[in-house]
Amino acid sequence: MPEGLRVIAPGVSSTLQDAGRPGYLRYGISGSGAMDPDLLALANGLVGNPLDAAVIEMAMVGPTLVCETDICRVALAGAPFAMSVNGRPLDPFTAHDLRRGDRLVLGGPRQGLRACLAVAGGLAVTPMLGSVATHTRTRLGGLDGNPLAAGDLLPLAAPAPRDRPLTLPTAHRPTFGGPIRVVLGPQADGFTEDGLRTFLSEPYTLTARADRMGCHLDGPPIAHADGFNIVSDGIVNGSIQVPGHGRPLILLADRHTTGGYPKIATVISADLGRLAQVRPGETIRFAAVAVAEAQAIAHAARRGLAARLAALVPAGGGDLDSAFLLSCNLVGGVVSARALDPAP
């Protein structure tokens, strides 16, 4: 009989995600994958998995799970969700061992919106087009293309390790907030100077129309220079369209692959994770950077991820095996690179 984690309550938006399925945009299939690839890597690093292994990505309210195997090691990375086992609070960014019958409850976060829960040994779920990432609108990946549901069993691919659980010291844990940096274009010339000034100077509020596909913003309308329709072209993760009403729409991991509204700017890859932590009702400000600066920020972000992985230590103190650290640093570069979705 399969053993693993049983879903008692799925939470608000819990799906299986990995590093996504790049290379299929030309066929109309979005990449999906974790909204924040760094959190995917950190959660997996904490339990000793390959850094692009499938995790449970949750938003707003996490799932309740019961351990249906002798031992199961889990770790949460991301927003500080309330986390407990059998009523005992657990620390995020730390691996914890569950025993058969243990009940893991993930409530809501004190701040932020999303987190990733990794399971040591990985999950035995069949990939589709090379990825486990769930895209619910097309029923690709995950468990028959669906979010988690009560009664689902998440089977383990391998038993939990017997070494000491790992933790990421508090000083190395990521923080969220600050302006969202963008590169203007590719259709910035489709907006008036006043429109561009409005976009870069005014606050915008994330509306309730926000999910893994994209987020609608409310705020001062942005003036188009000559209408709001263009010949449909490709959309990448972080493309910011401005429809006829003049308010920005940011396309994200589960986006459609082409669109006919002009794109005023594109969120830089290093800030996609911070954007994924903004809650409905919170405000966003945009700051423009040049392409060269965006590339430098991306390289610095990859170095930052490698440094966090190198900072992992056994819970309670001790040293990590150097081979494990080397593998984390190498795979960290791979998983970050996969998050940069190629144009169709």
Side-chain angles (χ1 to χ4, degrees):
M1 183 175 180
E3 296 189 330
L5 290 172
R6 180 75 63 181
V7 179
I8 304 303
V12 171
S13 178
S14 302
T15 58
L16 298 187
Q17 300 294 338
D18 56 18
R21 49 179 66 85
Y24 292 95
L25 291 181
R26 72 193 70 180
Y27 306 114
I29 299 171
S30 65
S32 298
M35 293 278 278
D36 185 341
D38 283 9
L39 295 182
L40 171 75
L42 286 172
N44 277 312
L46 282 162
V47 297
N49 286 349
L51 300 190
D52 57 354
V55 300
I56 301 171
E57 183 186 83
M58 62 196 72
M60 194 62 74
V61 177
T64 296
L65 309 165
V66 167
C67 180
E68 293 189 358
T69 188
D70 290 340
I71 185 169
C72 177
R73 180 169 292 177
V74 299
L76 185 77
F81 279 71
M83 183 182 183
S84 66
V85 60
N86 304 329
R88 176 173 57 87
L90 299 180
D91 187 29
F93 291 100
T94 300
H96 303 278
D97 288 339
L98 309 179
R99 265 63 180 189
R100 190 179 295 274
D102 281 350
R103 187 182 184 94
L104 176 66
V105 178
L106 292 141
R110 297 188 303 275
Q111 60 182 19
L113 186 67
R114 289 184 170 88
C116 293
L117 183 78
V119 182
L123 299 171
V125 179
T126 303
M128 298 183 71
L129 299 177
S131 172
V132 169
T134 309
H135 187 275
T136 57
R137 284 175 171 82
T138 56
R139 303 285 296 275
L140 274 177
L143 302 178
D144 297 322
N146 294 313
L148 298 189
D152 285 344
L153 179 68
L154 305 175
L156 304 187
R162 298 294 180 177
D163 55 355
R164 292 173 63 186
L166 302 178
T167 187
L168 181 63
T170 302
H172 295 278
R173 297 179 184 183
T175 57
F176 312 113
I180 301 299
R181 291 165 292 187
V182 300
V183 172
L184 291 177
Q187 285 100 30
D189 58 353
F191 301 88
T192 66
E193 288 188 12
D194 283 345
L196 290 169
R197 190 177 303 111
T198 297
F199 172 68
L200 293 174
S201 63
E202 297 292 336
Y204 286 88
T205 302
L206 184 67
T207 73
R209 296 180 63 192
D211 58 16
R212 285 180 45 85
M213 182 176 179
C215 50
H216 294 254
L217 304 181
D218 193 15
I222 298 165
H224 296 85
D226 186 23
F228 59 88
N229 287 307
I230 63 170
V231 175
S232 291
D233 63 0
I235 294 174
V236 300
N237 199 356
S239 288
I240 305 177
Q241 292 182 323
V242 182
H245 52 59
R247 293 169 180 85
L249 165 61
I250 309 177
L251 283 306
L252 299 172
D254 285 358
R255 67 200 177 278
H256 45 282
T257 59
T258 63
Y261 296 129
K263 294 173 286 296
I264 192 169
T266 305
V267 177
I268 68 172
S269 62
D271 284 3
L272 288 170
R274 288 200 290 119
L275 178 61
Q277 296 296 345
V278 179
R279 299 184 187 212
E282 294 182 341
T283 59
I284 294 172
R285 285 185 177 272
F286 297 102
V289 298
V291 172
E293 185 179 355
Q295 292 171 335
I297 294 169
H299 289 306
R302 293 185 191 181
R303 291 192 298 270
L305 172 60
R308 287 192 172 101
L309 292 167
L312 295 175
V313 294
D319 296 320
L320 283 182
D321 179 79
S322 60
F324 173 77
L325 292 178
L326 177 61
S327 68
C328 281
N329 287 329
L330 291 175
V331 181
V334 173
V335 72
S336 294
R338 287 191 65 189
L340 301 177
D341 219 350

